[in-house]
């Protein structure tokens, strides 16, 4: 396999696309994701690529991975960014489920948050394309549009010097994808599935990015919640390459990710 690096968001992160020698795009395998680690920057699977690897392991009932609608009316920009990342991950779940109405609803929520964050002009055309592709059941094109939407949101944030928000969108998407994948593995445990969750380099990199944010952003309750849980999550997914974590470890991982994803989508207490 030849790793092709796609650069976006002003050089913030590198996302790996694994291509065959013939040049045809291939989904990431569990081994590809398990081997992701820090190089000069970082190789992070997109939420859709991470979740698509599940299809190689087991028949997925993607609609069981839907969650209740997330609020798009937070006063905290940091909390909005975390939830935006989670919503984009939800979009991949809906596409895998081939649920057009769900895709459109998530697309509307993504656009709503983008407007509040001041980057809506960068995603408006993408949102319209997502709705059109959802109506016509063009699932492959939908994945491309959702990925492009995420890239354009992050690029716009970088141009607006909102680098901390770029970090939070990435973290929110990674946590939601980890919740979905660990939930499936916990429900249908297998050693190959458990090994898919080995991502210590990614967790360490994201923790470093969280620690490097401004003091004002780090003081946000939602960010503090994420930072606290990231340390616990990192310990679970930093297992040996040769030994799969136990079913109990995966259940604990799923519980942690589900808890933090739920908490960052809650309205702060007044």
């Amino acid at each position: 396999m030849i790793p092709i690096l796609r650069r976006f968001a002003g050089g913030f992160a590198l996302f790996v696309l694994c291509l065959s020698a013939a040049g045809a795009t291939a989904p990431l395998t569990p081994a590809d994701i398990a081997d992701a680690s820090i190089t000069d920057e970082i190789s992070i699977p997109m939420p859709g690529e991470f979740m698509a690897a599940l299809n190689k392991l087991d028949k997925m009932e993607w609609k069981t991975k839907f969650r209740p609608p997330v609020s798009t009316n937070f006063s905290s920009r940091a909390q909005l960014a975390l939830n935006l990342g989670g919503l984009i991950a939800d979009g991949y779940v809906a596409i895998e489920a081939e649920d057009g109405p769900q895709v459109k609803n998530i697309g509307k929520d993504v656009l709503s948050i983008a407007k509040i964050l001041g980057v809506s002009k960068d995603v408006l055309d993408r949102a319209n394309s997502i709705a059109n592709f959802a109506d016509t059941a063009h699932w492959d094109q939908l994945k491309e549009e959702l990925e492009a939407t995420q890239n354009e949101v992050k690029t716009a944030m970088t141009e607006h010097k909102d680098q901390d928000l770029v970090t939070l969108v990435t973290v929110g998407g990674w946590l939601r994808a980890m919740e979905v994948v660990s939930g499936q593995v916990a429900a249908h445990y297998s050693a190959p599935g458990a090994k898919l969750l080995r991502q210590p380099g990614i967790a360490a990199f994201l923790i470093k990015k969280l620690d490097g944010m401004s003091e004002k952003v780090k003081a946000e309750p939602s960010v503090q919640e994420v930072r606290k849980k990231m340390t616990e999550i990192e310990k679970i997914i930093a297992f040996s390459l040769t030994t799969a974590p136990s079913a109990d470890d995966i259940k604990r991982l799923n519980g942690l990710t589900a808890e933090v994803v739920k908490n960052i989508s809650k309205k702060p207490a007044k």
Side-chain angles (χ1 to χ4, degrees), residues 123-145:
V123 300
L124 183 57
D125 289 342
R126 295 292 181 188
N128 292 333
S129 294
I130 286 172
N132 291 334
F133 285 135
D135 284 335
T136 55
H138 286 80
W139 308 115
D140 288 340
Q141 289 93 330
L142 269 169
K143 290 178 184 178
E144 294 175 3
E145 285 297 311

Side-chain angles (χ1 to χ4, degrees), residues 66-121:
F66 291 172
R67 59 173 173 159
V70 174
S71 176
T72 59
N73 189 28
F74 296 106
S75 58
S76 164
R77 289 171 62 80
Q79 192 170 10
L80 282 165
L82 285 166
N83 282 287
L84 179 57
L87 278 170
I88 290 171
D90 285 336
Y92 287 110
V93 174
I95 291 168
E96 291 290 351
E98 298 188 354
D99 189 317
Q102 183 78 352
V103 171
K104 291 171 71 174
N105 288 336
I106 292 169
K108 289 177 183 177
D109 288 342
V110 167
L111 183 58
S112 179
I113 291 181
K115 286 180 178 178
I116 299 172
L117 293 176
V119 295
S120 61
K121 67 182 181 64

Side-chain angles (χ1 to χ4, degrees), residues 155-209:
T155 299
M157 287 177 176
T158 300
E159 291 172 350
H160 296 167
K161 302 188 185 304
D162 283 331
Q163 194 66 43
D164 288 351
L165 296 189
V166 175
T167 296
L168 294 175
V169 171
T170 301
V171 171
W174 184 80
L175 284 169
R176 175 61 178 141
M178 184 63 73
E179 178 193 5
V180 171
V181 176
S182 63
Q184 175 67 15
V185 176
H188 306 278
Y189 181 83
S190 70
K195 288 182 178 179
L196 178 66
L197 297 161
R198 185 183 185 278
Q199 299 188 27
I202 293 175
F205 176 80
L206 293 177
I207 287 171
K208 181 179 178 181
K209 297 299 292 187

Side-chain angles (χ1 to χ4, degrees), residues 206-243:
L206 293 177
I207 287 171
K208 181 179 178 181
K209 297 299 292 187
L210 288 168
D211 288 344
M213 295 190 303
S214 70
E215 294 302 320
K216 179 180 179 181
V217 173
K218 287 193 291 185
E220 292 279 354
S222 58
V223 176
Q224 291 181 343
E225 165 78 8
V226 166
R227 179 61 185 85
K228 178 182 176 181
K229 289 295 189 296
M230 284 292 291
T231 299
E232 298 178 61
I233 291 168
E234 181 186 21
K235 290 178 181 178
I236 299 175
I237 62 177
F239 51 86
S240 167
L241 277 170
T242 58
T243 305

